[in-house]
Amino acid sequence: MATPVLVKRNPDNYDLFTLADIQRAESAPLRFRDVTCNDFELVPGGCFAPQVHEDKLEVVTPVPLGATPGPVVRYSAPDGSYALELCGYDSIVIPRGVWHQATNICTTHVILIITNFRYEA
């Protein structure tokens, strides 16, 4: 089964993630679908329920709406098989079929910028 890949923010440029980062997590052919913004669920201490997507790969980039040192969001599997902490503007690549949930672990509201890719047939 595929696993998520953490992409640390590159301090030398403005890239959030690259095609090479996506290809580290998924070798199947993909096509860009859309970009969405979740700006309501991750208040300090907030989380969203575990979910899985069978129809898309998503890249999620957390953006804290206030100054905060260190990690802002923890992505994990409900079964505990992984837990990744993301700082502001890091990204996580989540292939299809990977269960995930996010928890705000900082003291400010965090929005999630979600870039979706659909799988080619």
Side-chain angles (χ1 to χ4, degrees):
M1 181 171 124
T3 59
V5 171
L6 175 63
V7 179
K8 299 300 284 179
R9 178 182 185 187
N10 185 340
D12 297 328
N13 63 33
Y14 296 105
D15 292 343
L16 297 176
F17 61 90
T18 66
L19 180 58
D21 295 322
I22 294 170
Q23 291 171 331
R24 286 190 353 229
E26 180 61 82
S27 60
L30 298 165
R31 188 169 286 244
F32 172 76
R33 192 180 91 177
D34 55 33
V35 177
T36 63
C37 180
N38 177 330
D39 62 353
F40 57 90
E41 285 183 307
L42 291 183
V43 298
C47 63
F48 62 75
Q51 57 183 283
V52 64
H53 309 289
E54 297 298 339
D55 63 332
K56 68 177 181 173
L57 173 143
E58 62 182 10
V59 181
V60 184
T61 305
V63 178
L65 298 183
T68 183
V72 296
V73 172
R74 179 182 302 111
Y75 267 83
S76 60
D79 66 2
S81 60
Y82 71 87
L84 300 170
E85 293 188 348
L86 286 71
C87 293
Y89 300 97
D90 288 347
S91 296
I92 184 171
V93 181
I94 306 169
R96 67 180 164 198
V98 175
W99 281 93
H100 55 284
Q101 57 194 30
T103 303
N104 182 335
I105 57 173
C106 70
T107 59
T108 189
H109 189 102
V110 174
I111 64 170
L112 302 176
I113 305 300
I114 304 164
T115 307
N116 293 301
F117 296 85
R118 68 175 177 266
Y119 284 84
E120 298 279 315

